[in-house]
Amino acid sequence: MKLSCLQENLSRGLALVGRAVATRSALPVTQNVLLSTEQSMLKLSATNLEIAITTWIGASIEEEGSIAVPARLLSEFVSSLPSERIDLELPAGSGLLQVTCGRNDSHINGTDASEFPPIPTVDDGVAAKIHPQTLRNAISRVTFAAATEESRPILTGVEVKLEENHFTLAAADGFRLAVQHGSLVEPVESPVEVIVPARTLNELSRILGEGDDPVEVMMTPARGQVLFRTQGVELVSQLLQGAFPNYEQLIPQSFSTRAVFDLPNLLRATRSAAIFARDGSNIIRMQMEPNAEDGGSGKAIVSAKSESVGDNQDEVDAVLLEGTESKIAFNSRYLQDVLQVFERGQVALETSTPSSPGVFKPPEGDDYVHVVMPMFVQW
């Protein structure tokens, strides 16, 4: 193998595929990155056997070839080089990659490419296209609600549904549920449901650029794989096998109180309460009080207390408050998590009883819904 490329392109490519490099593995070769030539470009690939990331960078190829080299070492080394042309050369049968940049000349011990795990390819299945910003927004609103513990592996994933010209992402950890709906660029040929690891979607979100080119998705449930392709990068992931909970049954269809708040005001109050909630079982209480004299408005009393620290109480005016007075208590972290994904504007909270789930959603539209189980407290 003999080729040359730009330092900045190689450094960026290594950083991209580095997200799939195994940190600890029974198979040491997965801590490497595979360098190979393909279609007159330099191909970089990495896998931890759960996900695989591949990218291509422009290069001047003199001789074809391939080799696997330690990913962390190569990435750190290339990042330290000046922003100039890098020459890579692998003499036939040597297993020693020569890296030359300016006056810097180095040699890195590599592993034969044949020992590197094959990078899976997904060539058939249900194909879809999603606008990158739409997908990134959907991922940010859903994946944090997936479970992080492996006691119920299926809950560490996100259910992805494609049907006609729309998609749905849903995640739940047993205490909360997040569901996001969005539009596809074009209709899919047939409906499909798969469960993608939340870690995969988080990595995809980091890869997505600022461009407008649609993200290509290829799902093959029979082979248990999904592929995402965007701007010269491919991410292939294993799917989770099992039955995802029927979350539609978990979303309350009615409420006795609906309050709409300016997000910054409610978020500030919950952050203040969270300081006291840390030493009080992480409980934040919310008491919605309609204003009988001014129909439609009212306030929420947000409070937290700890026997060892003290207590905190704040009042947040509601833009709109319909229904009866109600009380509900939430886990502090769950409450802050959901409020932060709304980013700006307003948020609506629908409640029924102190023992019924609270439902957060945008004041207008039904593209997103977030259900949080209440904490049981003495009022």
Side-chain angles (χ1 to χ4, degrees):
M1 180 171 72
K2 188 175 182 180
L3 60 91
S4 58
C5 60
L6 295 178
Q7 181 270 345
E8 59 188 60
N9 292 343
L10 182 56
S11 181
R12 183 169 59 248
L14 290 170
L16 270 173
V17 301
R19 302 185 186 281
V21 173
T23 52
R24 292 182 299 273
S25 174
L27 193 62
V29 73
T30 57
Q31 296 177 351
N32 292 355
V33 58
L34 178 65
L35 281 63
S36 59
T37 53
E38 182 177 281
Q39 299 177 349
S40 300
M41 301 184 80
L42 174 60
K43 179 182 178 181
L44 306 176
S45 305
T47 180
N48 58 14
L49 304 182
E50 293 181 2
I51 67 170
I53 299 178
T54 301
T55 190
W56 292 259
I57 64 174
S60 175
I61 310 293
E62 291 186 40
E63 295 179 12
E64 304 282 341
S66 58
I67 188 173
V69 294
R72 181 177 178 184
L73 183 149
L74 182 62
S75 182
E76 291 180 351
F77 172 60
V78 170
S79 296
S80 73
L81 294 175
S83 183
E84 299 178 14
R85 189 186 79 178
I86 291 181
D87 296 314
L88 303 178
E89 184 172 358
L90 176 67
S94 70
L96 197 64
L97 181 67
Q98 181 177 358
V99 184
T100 305
C101 182
R103 299 165 67 181
N104 189 302
D105 189 15
S106 305
H107 296 82
I108 300 175
N109 291 321
T111 302
D112 193 278
S114 62
E115 298 182 27
F116 198 81
I119 301 298
T121 57
V122 181
D123 299 322
D124 56 355
V126 178
K129 292 183 179 180
I130 308 174
H131 191 279
Q133 303 310 319
T134 300
L135 182 55
R136 178 189 285 143
N137 182 59
I139 291 172
S140 70
R141 286 184 160 196
V142 170
T143 53
F144 71 92
T148 54
E149 298 179 357
E150 298 288 343
S151 55
R152 293 184 64 187
I154 204 70
L155 295 184
T156 64
V158 175
E159 185 181 70
V160 181
K161 292 182 181 179
L162 304 180
E163 187 174 10
E164 296 180 346
N165 62 347
H166 60 269
F167 70 90
T168 302
L169 303 186
D173 64 2
F175 301 98
R176 53 186 172 175
L177 163 69
V179 182
Q180 173 73 47
H181 304 284
S183 299
L184 300 174
V185 174
E186 54 192 36
V188 293
E189 295 179 356
S190 59
V192 63
E193 296 180 17
V194 297
I195 304 173
V196 182
R199 290 191 298 266
T200 295
L201 292 178
N202 286 331
E203 293 299 345
L204 175 64
S205 180
R206 297 184 183 102
I207 290 173
L208 292 176
E210 299 296 330
D212 292 328
D213 292 341
V215 180
E216 297 178 39
V217 185
M218 181 73 75
M219 297 182 176
T220 311
R223 291 172 52 188
Q225 293 177 333
V226 60
L227 175 144
F228 300 94
R229 182 184 293 117
T230 173
Q231 297 180 329
V233 182
E234 288 187 359
L235 186 155
V236 179
S237 171
Q238 301 293 327
L239 298 174
L240 296 178
Q241 304 300 321
F244 201 77
N246 184 1
Y247 58 83
E248 298 289 351
Q249 298 178 344
L250 305 177
I251 303 175
Q253 301 302 311
S254 61
F255 57 86
S256 59
T257 307
R258 181 177 184 268
V260 177
F261 301 99
D262 280 326
L263 184 60
N265 295 336
L266 184 59
L267 194 52
R268 176 195 52 76
T270 57
R271 284 172 175 165
S272 298
I275 299 171
F276 289 81
R278 283 198 300 251
D279 296 292
S281 301
N282 279 319
I283 296 174
I284 292 181
R285 294 168 166 83
M286 293 186 66
Q287 184 170 342
M288 267 69 71
E289 296 183 350
N291 188 342
E293 298 179 358
D294 184 7
S297 67
K299 65 182 179 181
I301 300 174
V302 182
S303 62
K305 63 180 180 181
S306 166
E307 297 296 335
S308 59
V309 173
D311 60 75
N312 165 266
Q313 179 174 302
D314 203 346
E315 292 186 1
V316 180
D317 289 332
V319 177
L320 177 70
L321 205 160
E322 303 171 307
T324 61
E325 179 178 335
S326 68
K327 300 176 180 178
I328 193 167
F330 295 112
N331 176 287
S332 169
R333 180 168 67 88
Y334 295 167
L335 179 58
Q336 291 183 86
D337 281 349
V338 63
L339 293 180
Q340 287 169 357
V341 304
F342 281 92
E343 299 171 355
R344 60 187 181 275
Q346 298 178 339
V347 58
L349 169 60
E350 298 173 356
T351 61
S352 294
T353 68
S355 58
S356 301
V359 180
F360 295 85
K361 57 176 62 174
E364 304 293 336
D366 55 359
D367 63 323
Y368 182 67
V369 61
H370 192 101
V371 181
V372 184
M373 297 300 295
M375 303 282 281
F376 296 99
V377 299
Q378 297 293 326
W379 290 90

